[in-house]
């Protein structure tokens, strides 16, 4: 299985929140701080993130080997899952086929056919034969989309703490470096640990 982000998320921590957290006056450093927020969030979010889950609402495409679907269900990575966008697969001639979304249901992090009739039969024998797009992540404001879980306060706090660490240590941490260079204190790891997903 491999996954990629099709539609990236909007920031889950705003400039205004970070400015208050950092006790900044004015907007002189807004671009710098927003880059730090993006680096901190990118370090933990999505397919490349430390948490192994989606933070901001995003569309992800997961591709599976047809043999992974032999049991008629597949585990979709990077929760929390919101809804399905599309289910496609390559047939025996490697032509892309689109399945009807009404034939499938989400049960937690698993996609399953509504009846036992549908199966991944006839898929091409390729590592990317099954292609499932879905929305995953948390909303900042629960009233904006009642289907989506609200961003946990500890994840928001961890992003703000990481942003603060980057801001305080600008000379030792390069902005624009890879997300693996973002510092994570023991406090940040403790805040995030309950949400970490291990494959």
């Amino acid at each position: 299985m491999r996954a990629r982000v099709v539609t990236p998320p909007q920031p889950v921590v705003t400039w205004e929140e970070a400015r208050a957290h950092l006790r900044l006056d004015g907007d002189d450093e807004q671009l710098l701080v927003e880059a730090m927020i993006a680096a901190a969030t990118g370090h933990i979010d999505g397919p490349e993130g430390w948490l192994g889950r989606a933070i901001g609402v995003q569309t992800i495409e997961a591709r599976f080997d047809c043999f992974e679907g032999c049991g008629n269900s597949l585990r979709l990575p990077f929760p929390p899952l919101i809804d399905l966008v599309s289910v496609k697969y390559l047939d025996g001639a490697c032509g892309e086929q689109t399945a009807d979304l009404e034939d499938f249901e989400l049960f937690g992090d698993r996609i399953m056919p509504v009846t036992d009739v549908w199966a991944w039969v006839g898929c091409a024998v390729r590592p990317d034969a099954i292609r499932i797009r879905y929305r995953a992540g948390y909303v900042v404001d629960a009233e904006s989309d009642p289907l989506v879980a609200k961003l946990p306060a500890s994840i928001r706090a961890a992003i703000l703490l990481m942003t603060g660490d980057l801001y305080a240590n600008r000379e030792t941490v390069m902005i624009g470096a890879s997300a693996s260079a973002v510092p994570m204190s023991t406090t940040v790891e403790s805040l995030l640990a309950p949400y970490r997903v291990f494959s």
Side-chain angles (χ1 to χ4, degrees), residues 104-124:
F104 298 93
E105 288 183 307
L106 288 176
F107 291 97
D109 64 351
R110 300 196 76 75
I111 179 175
M112 300 178 70
V114 173
T115 66
D116 291 336
V117 176
W118 209 98
W120 309 104
V121 179
C123 284

Side-chain angles (χ1 to χ4, degrees), residues 74-180:
L74 292 167
R75 187 184 76 75
L76 298 175
F78 314 110
L81 277 53
I82 301 167
D83 55 22
L84 292 173
V85 174
S86 67
V87 176
K88 298 182 180 187
Y89 63 97
L90 299 179
D91 61 22
C94 290
E96 187 174 79
Q97 303 295 322
T98 301
D100 190 340
L101 288 180
E102 292 181 7
D103 291 339
F104 298 93
E105 288 183 307
L106 288 176
F107 291 97
D109 64 351
R110 300 196 76 75
I111 179 175
M112 300 178 70
V114 173
T115 66
D116 291 336
V117 176
W118 209 98
W120 309 104
V121 179
C123 284
V125 181
R126 287 179 47 151
D128 62 349
I130 300 171
R131 300 154 182 205
I132 301 171
R133 285 191 182 187
Y134 58 97
R135 287 191 318 141
Y138 299 98
V139 292
V140 176
D141 176 16
E143 293 178 11
S144 66
D145 191 342
L147 294 175
V148 188
K150 186 172 184 194
L151 180 69
S154 58
I155 293 177
R156 180 185 310 285
I159 292 169
L160 286 168
L161 286 171
M162 288 167 52
T163 302
D165 288 344
L166 286 168
Y167 186 81
N169 300 296
R170 292 180 262 195
E171 301 305 318
T172 58
V173 179
M174 293 178 12
I175 302 304
S178 70
S180 62

